[in-house]
Amino acid sequence: MTKKDKLITFFSETRQETELLCEPLEIEDYVVQPIADVSPPKWHLGHSTWFFEEFILKKYKNNYQLFNKDFAFVFNSYYETVGKRVVRSDRGNLSRPSVAKVYEYRTYVTKEMEELLSNNSSEELKSLVLIGIHHEKQHQELLLTDIKYILGNNPLLPNYNDAILEHKVQSNNSDWIKMEEGIYEIGHKDITQFHYDNELGRHKVYLHNYEIASNLVTNGDYIEFIDNNGYKDHNLWHAEAWDWINTNSITQPMYWHKVDGIWHHYTLNGLQKVDPKTPVTHISYFEAFAYAQYKGCRLATEFEWEAAQEKFNWGQRWEWTESAYLPYPNYKKPPGAIGEYNGKFMVNQKVLRGGSIATPSNHTRYTYRNFFQTNLRWQYTGIRLAK
Ligand SMILES: [Fe+2]
């Protein structure tokens, strides 16, 4: 297969995978937005399509005809450079365009893109298409977590799909991995391979001796924290976190329900008993920090995580780190709208490393820097202790 054919296949498969994720949905599920952070599936389908139209087809395809001139207003997420848009919290109020129309839009843009890619194999186009593909993969993960939130906050707790296994027992017993003091290189190495701008520049950090757990914290560990009044001891919590748990009556991870005295949680397979052996998930940074305090430990920095990652298995849960989301030394924000992808979010967020069971398998990598605000927990987040 030529390089050009590989890119077209990668693009087309990604587009299909997104639609497959929506196959188990009923039409009503596509439009709901229970909270501002959770976008309706219909919006994800349209937005990931608009990205290709706005940043690629409009610029590179001769005489490209927009599918609908109003869709930029509906499906632009946060790109100030390209104009006004629907406010985020109003995405669930859009009964139009219909789901059928959004699927038509997808088909139209997919075809136009495939035609463009078979006639133009410039490096500049290729690098933008790869951003578009990986952007769509990020939205595949968001689709799953947003669908989970939509169905998991429906009182009937419907099943989404039996095929997805959210909770897997970790293969080995947990151990402490000892890491030597010294200089480590951090950041994306091979710039010919796909990466986001925030993974550059590669740079040196000095780390002191530390230990990092080989396993993620389990549900059983976390139940012990709850039972030992972890949510009631202010000593374990940041001031902002203490206000947050009290204001919002947070006493357990998101999706947990006690049924007849036994912990259950909503999963994409419906309501299930919590398995004490599988890694805890849907916890905020605030809770990850408090749990680490309770154990007399701490969270790893993102640098400690990256330096040690070869020595443990990762990929079940996005792992909260103790690192603020900041630019690396020599970070360069790209010009124009693509520069809005990462750089403008480098304030008031923590870095998460690894990936989760909802992350597409060919999307994450050990230098990948995910980031969320400290109170958010609808992603598959988890805890790895350090000391
Ligand atoms: Fe996006």
Side-chain angles (χ1 to χ4, degrees):
M1 204 189 274
T2 64
K3 265 189 181 174
K4 190 169 81 178
D5 290 341
K6 267 190 191 162
L7 185 64
I8 296 175
T9 306
F10 192 29
F11 168 78
S12 308
E13 285 177 356
T14 303
R15 300 288 288 167
Q16 285 162 17
E17 283 158 11
T18 307
E19 292 172 20
L20 271 177
L21 289 173
C22 293
E23 260 189 11
L25 299 182
E26 298 293 346
I27 205 81
E28 292 83 355
D29 300 327
Y30 279 92
V31 195
V32 183
Q33 184 179 29
I35 54 168
D37 293 313
V38 169
S39 293
K42 181 174 76 175
W43 187 86
H44 286 295
L45 291 175
H47 165 72
S48 50
T49 301
W50 166 82
F51 195 94
F52 288 111
E53 183 172 65
E54 180 66 42
F55 298 121
I56 296 172
L57 290 171
K58 270 170 79 173
K59 185 170 172 194
Y60 292 94
K61 188 120 200 289
N62 290 334
N63 305 316
Y64 176 71
Q65 301 289 316
L66 288 176
F67 180 78
N68 181 320
K69 67 176 175 41
D70 296 327
F71 277 16
F73 183 75
V74 177
F75 294 122
N76 178 3
S77 51
Y78 53 66
Y79 296 90
E80 302 286 348
T81 312
V82 292
K84 292 200 185 321
R85 63 215 161 268
V86 168
V87 289
R88 188 175 185 179
S89 54
D90 274 353
R91 290 173 189 168
N93 295 332
L94 299 164
S95 60
R96 306 295 172 94
S98 65
V99 172
K101 191 55 80 180
V102 171
Y103 273 114
E104 256 182 62
Y105 179 40
R106 285 187 68 84
T107 306
Y108 176 81
V109 166
T110 299
K111 269 200 181 142
E112 292 281 329
M113 280 292 299
E114 285 167 347
E115 206 177 289
L116 170 69
L117 293 177
S118 46
N119 295 322
N120 181 334
S121 49
S122 75
E123 283 304 310
E124 184 186 288
L125 175 65
K126 187 186 159 195
S127 80
L128 267 179
V129 172
L130 282 175
I131 293 176
I133 291 172
H134 284 280
H135 169 257
E136 181 142 349
K137 286 181 180 294
Q138 280 182 284
H139 280 277
Q140 289 171 359
E141 177 157 10
L142 288 169
L143 259 171
L144 271 183
T145 54
D146 291 6
I147 289 168
K148 181 169 180 178
Y149 195 95
I150 290 165
L151 301 181
N153 283 277
N154 181 309
L156 302 176
L157 298 175
N159 181 7
Y160 160 74
N161 181 348
D162 284 328
I164 294 178
L165 190 56
E166 288 182 34
H167 307 281
K168 297 174 207 158
V169 176
Q170 298 168 95
S171 47
N172 301 313
N173 291 329
S174 195
D175 214 343
W176 286 105
I177 298 163
K178 286 188 169 45
M179 294 292 294
E180 290 288 313
E181 178 174 22
I183 294 170
Y184 292 86
E185 289 219 32
I186 299 297
H188 195 82
K189 201 177 190 172
D190 180 359
I191 54 161
T192 65
Q193 294 298 309
F194 181 79
H195 57 279
Y196 284 122
D197 55 55
N198 63 1
E199 296 164 58
L200 298 175
R202 191 165 162 85
H203 62 285
K204 295 181 179 67
V205 297
Y206 191 88
L207 300 179
H208 295 274
N209 286 330
Y210 66 102
E211 295 181 32
I212 188 163
S214 63
N215 283 10
L216 295 164
V217 169
T218 64
N219 289 317
D221 300 330
Y222 204 82
I223 289 170
E224 187 194 295
F225 167 71
I226 298 172
D227 290 346
N228 284 328
N229 292 325
Y231 281 93
K232 293 182 182 137
D233 181 356
H234 67 87
N235 292 301
L236 304 175
W237 299 81
H238 289 105
E240 192 181 329
W242 186 243
D243 287 346
W244 174 76
I245 60 169
N246 288 305
T247 306
N248 298 290
S249 305
I250 306 279
T251 54
Q252 65 226 34
M254 185 179 265
Y255 299 120
W256 283 36
H257 305 269
K258 221 169 203 177
V259 183
D260 297 331
I262 297 167
W263 282 117
H264 286 64
H265 53 178
Y266 177 73
T267 72
L268 288 168
N269 324 130
L271 191 68
Q272 289 186 344
K273 269 188 195 166
V274 170
D275 179 347
K277 294 197 193 71
T278 59
V280 69
T281 189
H282 297 301
I283 44 108
S284 59
Y285 162 79
F286 289 149
E287 290 160 298
F289 175 88
Y291 178 82
Q293 289 282 296
Y294 162 77
K295 295 298 284 183
C297 297
R298 60 181 178 83
L299 303 176
T301 65
E302 63 169 319
F303 312 110
E304 289 172 331
W305 190 96
E306 189 169 320
Q309 57 79 30
E310 270 182 343
K311 301 176 192 286
F312 53 78
N313 291 322
W314 50 267
Q316 271 216 68
R317 304 289 182 246
W318 281 108
E319 302 179 21
W320 285 109
T321 72
E322 194 48 279
S323 296
Y325 181 46
L326 293 172
Y328 285 169
N330 299 317
Y331 168 70
K332 284 187 184 61
K333 187 169 141 179
I338 293 297
E340 293 190 53
Y341 204 105
N342 284 305
K344 72 178 184 182
F345 299 110
M346 291 175 174
V347 65
N348 293 337
Q349 311 212 47
K350 289 281 189 180
V351 173
L352 300 97
R353 291 302 197 101
S356 83
I357 57 94
T359 313
S361 55
N362 45 4
H363 178 59
T364 191
R365 58 198 157 268
Y366 74 88
T367 56
Y368 195 110
R369 305 174 76 203
N370 203 353
F371 50 91
F372 281 104
Q373 280 103 6
T374 45
N375 62 328
L376 295 181
R377 51 187 201 158
W378 93 112
Q379 297 303 304
Y380 289 89
T381 48
I383 313 169
R384 184 184 303 278
L385 295 176
K387 59 183 184 181

